[in-house]
Amino acid sequence: MTRNMTLSGLSIFVLGLFCFFPVSSRPTGVHLRNMDSFIRAVRQVEDSNRDLSPLALLRALRRTAGHDDAMTIHFLGASYNLTDAEVLETAILNASSFSFFDKAIHHIVTDNGEERGVILAPDGTTVALAPLLLGIELGLKAKMEGTPAAGIFPLTLGRTLGLSFLSLQDFTPSHRLGPNGCWDSVDHPKMFKLSRPATLATDAVINGGMDGAILGTDLSNLSGSAQLQALSEILKGYYSFTLHEGQGLDAVTSHISPKRRELSRSILEPLDLHSQVMETLALVWKLERTEWIAMDTGVGKAVKDGLRAFVHKYWDCPQIIPRCQWGAKAYQGTPIPLSLPLKFLYVHHTYEPSSPCLSFPKCSSDMRAMQRFHQEDRRWGDIGYSFVVGSDGYIYEGRGWNHLGTHTRGHNDIGYGVSIIGNYTATLPSRHAMDLLRHRLVQCAVDGGGLASNFTLHGHRQVVNYTSCPGDAFFSEIRSWEHFRE
């Protein structure tokens, strides 16, 4: 019997097994587009073959999704260049989960704005799987071969960023990236729709790219004696976690998804990103035989402007969970447009709920409770806050940047305000949440739009009330922030 005949026979045998035993081998039920569902599907494939290596599984997933483009092959090799054992593993994968994995990983944006190949993470953010898995595969390959993880940035972020900057040169740099979008349901997510026309680098693609860079770098830096985890365990450790009361992200030393912005910055910022993107584009053009594009004298400026927007939006500024994600009700009445500059920016804490929220489901529930209280009990048009800081590491959009509203009963009828979930006169919010407010959210509000010339910190119990503190002097004069933690 020849080698080809043997492999063919094995594949037919495996496919036959799945015909007779579909329940034990094939993921059952309707697959939701969330990370938990994806991890379960991966684990089922792993359980079907205990000798399956995570690197072989990643190659099989890449083959299933058809991601063997020229640059990926340049850094990772072709996924169809498999050993005999890996051919069998691919047959198992294709027989059990081909349709699900193909739809879950293959990234496209449809004509009606639906973004596919993305999943909802437990933290409430949306992640594209393709750049995530490419980063993990490259990190594992580097670890197994004992070589540097060359290609982490080009495969996870560099190529996408560079091509997005160039494809929209006539647009302002801030519109060459994004957008975010909304799921049809956060409890049973099946469809993700973007808020405006897509760029090549949507928020989900950038989130997945940052996660791929983080996990790939971590894996490539493992000590020689470290045992490699299964792919399902790698994903679970990063995306499925529990924050503890009184600590939040303050005490977390491991790498988890709410820290993706600061972690990716620590990994990538030391690089000369402009040179890295330009080198990545040069490689793309070489592999695709389109080197003539490099003759465009505007390429360097487009990359420079685009990177400035990327750094500000995805590193300087915090992740914002949109209203649709936390389940906001519609504004009652007609929203009042924002008119810049404002005279004051009001900074609150929430008296109720008094305990900081430590997860996306809890923070979302708190946001809905506050909106109900403001709309139904106080008869305001919407939730009182423009943005709210959770101790889960994220900012929750209230009325957003563009609309004014009431913040405190009998005061500030047309103000603009941000708040921390948690009463700092009772149960204290995490230091991470306060740092988001002090160093990131207000900075982005002011630097991004010239939002306000003065700031007021206003507690419901009037514990602290600073008025007319211009700009940075606001924070430098607040000595009581440390007292709030005592």
Side-chain angles (χ1 to χ4, degrees):
M1 184 177 289
T2 65
R3 175 179 176 276
N4 288 337
M5 289 175 64
T6 302
L7 291 177
S8 176
L10 283 172
S11 297
I12 293 171
F13 173 70
V14 171
L15 290 171
L17 285 178
F18 283 108
C19 291
F20 283 102
F21 301 103
V23 175
S24 61
S25 302
R26 183 179 293 115
T28 58
V30 177
H31 283 291
L32 300 177
R33 297 292 185 249
N34 57 30
M35 182 60 73
D36 289 339
S37 184
F38 182 75
I39 291 174
R40 283 195 300 272
V42 169
R43 186 180 296 116
Q44 286 179 319
V45 175
E46 294 167 341
D47 290 344
S48 70
N49 186 343
R50 296 293 182 176
D51 297 326
L52 183 68
S53 74
L55 185 55
L57 175 54
L58 282 159
R59 286 173 177 164
L61 288 172
R62 174 157 57 97
R63 183 179 183 181
T64 300
H67 286 168
D68 269 3
D69 57 82
M71 177 171 280
T72 302
I73 294 174
H74 175 81
F75 287 111
L76 290 172
S79 64
Y80 52 80
N81 185 20
L82 306 175
T83 66
D84 292 4
E86 288 169 337
V87 170
L88 175 59
E89 291 155 3
T90 303
I92 294 172
L93 176 63
N94 288 343
S96 63
S97 309
F98 177 85
S99 179
F100 169 66
F101 284 124
D102 176 51
K103 293 177 181 177
I105 300 173
H106 188 69
H107 183 269
I108 60 170
V109 177
T110 68
D111 291 341
N112 69 347
E114 178 188 350
E115 187 173 12
R116 299 176 182 173
V118 301
I119 57 177
L120 178 64
D123 61 8
T125 59
T126 301
V127 176
L129 285 172
L132 165 67
L133 297 179
L134 287 177
I136 295 174
E137 183 180 347
L138 198 148
L140 285 172
K141 181 175 182 289
K143 160 66 178 171
M144 297 293 291
E145 297 176 355
T147 58
I152 282 279
F153 177 71
L155 281 181
T156 58
L157 283 171
R159 170 176 51 181
T160 301
L161 290 177
L163 293 177
S164 189
F165 298 155
L166 294 187
S167 65
L168 299 173
Q169 288 189 57
D170 295 336
F171 291 74
T172 59
S174 62
H175 282 81
R176 297 176 204 172
L177 299 168
N180 202 348
C182 293
W183 287 94
D184 53 345
S185 166
V186 294
D187 295 321
H188 299 90
K190 297 178 183 177
M191 185 178 70
F192 184 72
K193 198 158 187 179
L194 296 171
S195 60
R196 59 177 173 82
T199 68
L200 295 176
T202 64
D203 280 12
V205 169
I206 291 178
N207 286 340
M210 288 191 283
D211 292 347
I214 294 164
L215 291 173
T217 301
D218 286 351
L219 291 165
S220 68
N221 290 333
L222 287 175
S223 64
S225 59
Q227 185 176 1
L228 291 178
Q229 293 180 305
L231 175 59
S232 60
E233 292 301 313
I234 293 171
L235 295 172
K236 183 179 178 181
Y238 185 76
Y239 290 105
S240 301
F241 50 85
T242 301
L243 301 179
H244 299 290
E245 188 72 34
Q247 293 180 323
L249 287 176
D250 300 341
V252 176
T253 57
S254 58
H255 290 179
I256 59 176
S257 57
K259 301 174 69 175
R260 68 166 58 91
R261 295 194 174 204
E262 59 192 85
L263 291 172
S264 62
R265 186 170 202 159
S266 68
I267 293 170
L268 300 176
E269 193 172 41
L271 306 176
D272 181 349
L273 287 186
H274 186 270
S275 296
Q276 291 286 322
V277 173
M278 293 297 291
E279 290 173 10
T280 300
L281 289 173
L283 179 58
V284 171
W285 298 329
K286 178 181 178 181
L287 293 172
E288 297 181 354
R289 298 182 180 180
T290 54
E291 292 97 329
W292 56 268
I293 299 178
M295 300 175 62
D296 185 343
T297 57
V299 171
K301 183 179 185 303
V303 170
K304 182 179 180 180
D305 291 343
L307 282 173
R308 187 182 299 114
F310 166 77
V311 168
H312 181 72
K313 182 176 181 180
Y314 295 100
W315 282 352
D316 292 340
C317 295
Q319 174 79 51
I320 295 176
I321 304 295
R323 286 170 61 94
C324 56
Q325 290 292 82
W326 59 263
K329 292 183 178 180
Y331 189 97
Q332 295 177 356
T334 303
I336 302 173
L338 176 69
S339 178
L340 297 175
L342 298 178
K343 186 177 181 181
F344 291 101
L345 168 66
Y346 290 85
V347 182
H348 300 245
H349 69 104
T350 65
Y351 185 64
E352 292 291 344
S354 61
S355 297
C357 60
L358 298 173
S359 68
F360 168 67
K362 184 62 170 66
C363 291
S364 297
S365 176
D366 287 349
M367 292 293 291
R368 292 191 296 270
M370 287 188 287
Q371 187 185 41
R372 282 195 302 270
F373 173 70
H374 290 160
Q375 286 185 324
E376 297 175 11
D377 290 14
R378 292 194 169 177
R379 303 297 179 184
W380 295 351
D382 204 345
I383 188 171
Y385 312 116
S386 304
F387 292 93
V388 183
V389 184
S391 289
D392 62 340
Y394 295 126
I395 307 294
Y396 288 77
E397 179 187 17
R399 293 185 321 280
W401 303 116
N402 300 320
H403 295 129
L404 299 174
T406 304
H407 292 288
T408 304
R409 186 168 39 197
H411 183 65
N412 184 28
D413 287 337
I414 52 170
Y416 192 98
V418 294
S419 179
I420 294 178
I421 296 179
N423 180 4
Y424 50 64
T425 65
T427 304
L428 303 177
S430 71
R431 181 180 300 274
H432 183 88
M434 291 192 290
D435 286 345
L436 276 178
L437 178 61
R438 296 171 64 189
H439 301 305
R440 302 187 70 187
L441 180 61
V442 172
Q443 175 189 356
C444 287
V446 177
D447 294 347
L451 185 63
S453 58
N454 296 286
F455 300 88
T456 294
L457 178 67
H458 180 76
H460 289 295
R461 289 186 174 179
Q462 302 295 321
V463 176
V464 182
N465 187 17
Y466 288 83
T467 58
S468 301
C469 298
D472 293 337
F474 168 70
F475 290 127
S476 65
E477 292 299 321
I478 296 179
R479 307 301 181 189
S480 297
W481 280 99
E482 295 303 319
H483 173 71
F484 296 161
R485 303 250 333 148
E486 298 173 359

